[in-house]
Amino acid sequence: MNPDRPFTLVLSGGGLKGLAHVGVLRALEERGLLPSLVVGSSIGSLVGATWAAGIPVQDMERRALQVRRRDVFRVAHTDMAFRRLLAPALYRREPLVSLIGGLVGGVKFRDLSRRLLVNTTDLQSGLQVMWGLPGLLDARVADAVVASCALPGIFPPQEIGGRFYADGAVVENLPVRLAAALGSGPIIAVNVAATSVRRAAHETEGFAATYIRGLEIVMQTQIEAQLRDWTGPPLVLVQPKVEHISMFAFDRTEELIQAGYLATARTLDELGAQLHQIGRGLHPTRRVHVFVDDARCVGCGACVGQAPKVFRLDGLGKARVVAPLQVWSPMDGGYVNTCPTDAIGVRHAESAA
């Protein structure tokens, strides 16, 4: 670690898609970039805690590949049968507790050699609680991570010191706001909760699938709102291509790790500068040319509502691009995916005719 060149790594939640964070750590390590602070939500806190506990990245990959559904999910049959709507969750706590305890042991935050913050939500007060801050160093790391992974309704909340805590993603799935206040230097934030891929009808059938899809949408909307007008310290957003994978897919681990690795390597290459040489704002940026396919456009006006400085409706009710050349951050261009007829397209500005 270079103490004179610190940076903060923020790892989002996203179910099993968060195994991409292991690949992120490998890519950073290969470039000699070791964070001075890791802030994690949900599975991001699990990966971050495993790293902070000193487990080498190669061992993290090996252990990730060994995890099976039964190691995490076991239906709480007794609670569901006898307590019904008073059952605390759909799945039992014990497998998750065992998995996390086997990775980080009984270590407390003050015993870690690497600085870690774990994002949780206090269910009584509704407030965000970051374990690892001064005054919260005597908690067991494993307890905080279990709480951060306790997605409401899926896993029971975790009791710590007489209060009950659940997934920090409820408040802030990508906790960059607190990372900016508590860390030093630039931020690398990894979002595995993107929702740009449309789901087929069968992928949203049943309680679990509907609940998870709704959660994906909520988390992505929350992240977009946070970052759209980011004015904090330099923030590099890494978004692994994992949106097509289910949050609870146990047969895609190798693909997830590789996606995290490739996205991090590609993003750092796109910066075109050293991490500590970039300016404030959201990175990386790219120049694009926006266009509309007249044959597809139905004149619904959704694009005008989202980006009135880019689009207008002409006299025939068709969308027209008034500012085709745009400089996009990773959060720009959402109107491309939300166009109901896929009429909006982009190409790299350098190749624009």
Side-chain angles (χ1 to χ4, degrees), residues 123-201:
L123 285 181
Q124 274 84 21
S125 68
L127 297 178
Q128 185 177 36
V129 176
M130 278 284 185
W131 299 94
L133 288 175
L136 297 174
L137 293 170
D138 285 323
R140 289 185 351 122
V141 173
D143 290 340
V145 173
V146 169
S148 190
C149 292
L151 189 61
I154 301 297
F155 292 110
Q158 175 71 11
E159 182 180 1
I160 305 176
R163 299 183 72 87
F164 290 88
Y165 300 88
D167 196 339
V170 173
V171 176
E172 190 180 13
N173 189 43
L174 190 70
V176 292
R177 177 177 53 85
L178 282 177
L182 301 171
S184 301
I187 297 169
I188 295 179
V190 187
N191 174 29
V192 296
T195 62
S196 60
V197 171
R198 295 178 183 176
R199 303 295 185 196

Side-chain angles (χ1 to χ4, degrees), residues 315-335:
L316 299 175
K318 295 279 189 175
R320 290 287 176 263
V321 183
V322 296
L325 292 177
Q326 296 286 318
V327 178
W328 277 4
S329 80
M331 280 292 105
D332 290 320
Y335 45 75

Side-chain angles (χ1 to χ4, degrees), residues 190-214:
V190 187
N191 174 29
V192 296
T195 62
S196 60
V197 171
R198 295 178 183 176
R199 303 295 185 196
H202 73 273
E203 294 181 288
T204 56
E205 291 179 350
F207 164 77
T210 302
Y211 178 82
I212 291 166
R213 183 55 175 163

Side-chain angles (χ1 to χ4, degrees), residues 290-292 297-313 317-321 334-336 338-340 343-344:
V290 182
F291 61 92
V292 172
C297 180
V298 296
C300 70
C303 57
V304 178
Q306 291 187 58
K309 294 181 180 180
V310 180
F311 301 96
R312 66 173 175 82
L313 294 180
K318 295 279 189 175
R320 290 287 176 263
V321 183
Y335 45 75
V336 174
T338 56
C339 175
I344 303 171

Side-chain angles (χ1 to χ4, degrees), residues 214-294:
L215 183 66
E216 284 182 329
I217 295 169
V218 168
M219 289 192 297
Q220 181 63 17
T221 303
Q222 178 196 83
I223 289 170
E224 289 176 358
Q226 281 181 291
L227 298 182
R228 187 170 293 115
D229 300 308
W230 179 258
T231 58
L235 193 156
V236 177
L237 184 63
V238 177
Q239 300 200 91
K241 298 295 184 182
V242 298
E243 54 265 50
H244 60 290
I245 300 176
S246 166
M247 285 180 67
F248 297 136
F250 285 82
D251 57 348
R252 311 288 287 274
T253 300
E254 191 169 358
E255 179 183 351
L256 287 165
I257 293 173
Q258 185 68 0
Y261 175 84
L262 291 175
T264 305
R266 182 171 56 250
T267 301
L268 292 174
D269 289 343
E270 286 179 9
L271 285 178
Q274 294 297 317
L275 180 60
H276 287 78
Q277 294 174 345
I278 59 176
R280 296 177 72 85
L282 195 58
H283 301 270
T285 59
R286 57 189 175 121
R287 290 170 54 83
V288 299
H289 186 278
V290 182
F291 61 92
V292 172
D293 183 340
D294 277 353

